[in-house]
Amino acid sequence: MSETSRKLTTIFCADVQDYTRLMGKDEEGTLSTLRRYRDAMKRLIEAHGGRVINTWGDGVFAEFPSVVEAVRAAIDTQNELAGYNAVINPDKQMLFRIGLNLGDVIADGDDLYGDGVNIAARLQSRAAPGGIVISNTVYDQVRNKVAVGFDFLGQLEVKNIDGGVPSYAVRIGSVQVVDTTSDYRSPRPERAPARAPEPVAQEPALQDWRRSYAAPLIVCIGLAILNGLTWHGEFWAKWPILAILWVTAFRYVRSNRQIDMAIASLVITGVGIVMINLFTWHGTPWAMWPLFGLAIAAALRWVSRPRSGV
């Protein structure tokens, strides 16, 4: 039998708005859409360092060691699913509600229990369709670390939690910040939140790019200069430069949710093979054979991708 233990973690809880209505209209189509959307959600959760714990019914339950990455995964999820919904019939659109909470939970094997989990579920149930609601414990950790705004919603009543849980809606696009049927109550003066929400400045794209990719490029330039200064007729820097650029390219496609990771990986591998063939050229274009295999794999991946509409 597995032993139980306690740990502090970030709980991610999501489910579909009006799932019963969607199933009543088209069971097979709704199930197909749900699978596609949950596959995308699982990919984004894992890309941000989280793990999916369970997928029951129309729900997704996950945890993250990083609070910031949990919020980023939730934002990426809603943005990507909004793109999916934009190209299908409004009556078939599938809108997830997401709740996030940082709390102490009981771990029993791969399962999690406790108030930390229950709070995340309650936050999710009060989020607007396509929206995200976070607890004050999450807000305190991310308010100056993610480039979005927050709206204070008041105290959410939660069973067995005296005084409720201060909560915030993450401001993404034009999504209504909270379910209008939610049972929030205005914070009493003596129980006001520790701090009012502060607007978070949008980080310039150039600054974000520089922080992520400038270092590898500088290292590559430095290696090329060093090779030139110690030139003895051999361009030895090509190998570490190729390795650095290869890793950086994978890092880029991993962080870009608009790129098919499988196809991009095949393309990057193919470019690397071509470069190796050129760097070790002895008159034989041996790279054509692995490129042929990669091209077939990429084509199979392309034709097996889910259609834009459902």
Side-chain angles (χ1 to χ4, degrees):
M1 296 179 62
S2 60
E3 296 183 359
T4 61
S5 60
R6 303 196 72 97
K7 66 177 179 178
L8 185 67
T9 192
T10 307
I11 303 299
F12 174 112
C13 189
D15 80 347
V16 179
Q17 174 76 5
D18 292 336
Y19 180 70
T20 302
R21 175 185 63 82
L22 293 170
M23 287 292 287
K25 287 188 174 182
D26 180 6
E27 289 185 348
E28 292 185 359
T30 298
L31 183 58
S32 175
T33 302
L34 178 63
R35 286 173 176 168
R36 178 188 177 205
Y37 284 28
R38 281 207 299 215
D39 285 346
M41 192 177 298
K42 181 176 184 293
R43 169 172 52 81
L44 292 169
I45 287 171
E46 292 177 349
H48 285 276
R51 72 176 182 99
V52 175
I53 298 174
N54 200 347
T55 55
W56 70 98
D58 61 320
V60 175
F61 180 40
E63 71 162 334
F64 292 80
S66 166
V67 189
V68 172
E69 291 302 322
V71 173
R72 288 175 175 167
I75 294 170
D76 285 352
T77 292
Q78 294 294 32
N79 286 336
E80 180 155 327
L81 298 190
Y84 290 176
N85 285 323
V87 297
I88 65 175
N89 189 310
D91 291 337
K92 296 182 178 180
Q93 291 180 355
M94 187 168 288
L95 299 172
F96 276 83
R97 304 174 297 181
I98 299 177
L100 296 173
N101 179 51
L102 171 64
D104 191 80
V105 300
I106 299 174
D108 183 7
D110 291 332
D111 296 322
L112 301 178
Y113 304 92
D115 286 340
V117 175
N118 297 334
I119 291 173
R122 288 286 289 138
L123 293 169
Q124 163 264 306
S125 69
R126 300 314 355 153
I132 305 166
V133 173
I134 63 175
S135 65
N136 62 317
T137 54
V138 173
Y139 170 78
D140 288 342
Q141 297 297 319
V142 305
R143 63 192 184 92
N144 291 324
K145 297 184 178 71
V146 291
V148 294
F150 302 91
D151 294 304
F152 180 59
L153 302 177
Q155 307 284 126
L156 173 63
E157 296 285 359
V158 179
K159 185 178 180 180
N160 297 328
I161 304 295
D162 184 33
V165 176
S167 56
Y168 298 79
V170 180
R171 204 179 300 141
I172 49 174
S174 58
V175 175
Q176 178 184 337
V177 297
V178 67
D179 186 347
T180 54
T181 64
S182 62
D183 51 350
Y184 284 95
R185 58 186 173 85
S186 299
R188 296 169 294 182
E190 67 273 18
R191 297 192 63 86
R195 55 177 68 87
E198 301 174 6
V200 179
Q202 295 289 331
E203 186 177 39
L206 178 60
Q207 180 178 340
D208 184 63
W209 180 91
R210 186 170 61 239
R211 185 175 61 238
S212 300
Y213 304 109
L217 293 178
I218 291 173
V219 171
C220 290
I221 294 172
L223 287 170
I225 294 174
L226 179 61
N227 195 162
L229 294 175
T230 61
W231 183 258
H232 294 293
E234 180 186 2
F235 184 38
W236 54 262
K238 60 180 178 289
W239 299 116
I241 289 176
L242 179 61
I244 292 171
L245 294 178
W246 192 75
V247 171
T248 303
F250 268 103
R251 180 182 176 189
Y252 173 76
V253 299
R254 181 183 176 87
S255 65
N256 193 324
R257 53 187 172 79
Q258 297 179 339
I259 297 177
D260 187 298
M261 182 65 180
I263 295 178
S265 299
L266 293 171
V267 171
I268 293 171
T269 302
V271 172
I273 291 173
V274 170
M275 296 306 298
I276 293 173
N277 194 170
L278 292 176
F279 288 160
T280 60
W281 183 258
H282 295 294
T284 304
W286 54 262
M288 69 173 68
W289 302 114
L291 287 177
F292 181 68
L294 291 172
I296 293 176
L300 291 173
R301 169 62 183 178
W302 178 262
V303 298
S304 65
R305 293 177 65 190
R307 295 175 297 172
S308 296
V310 177

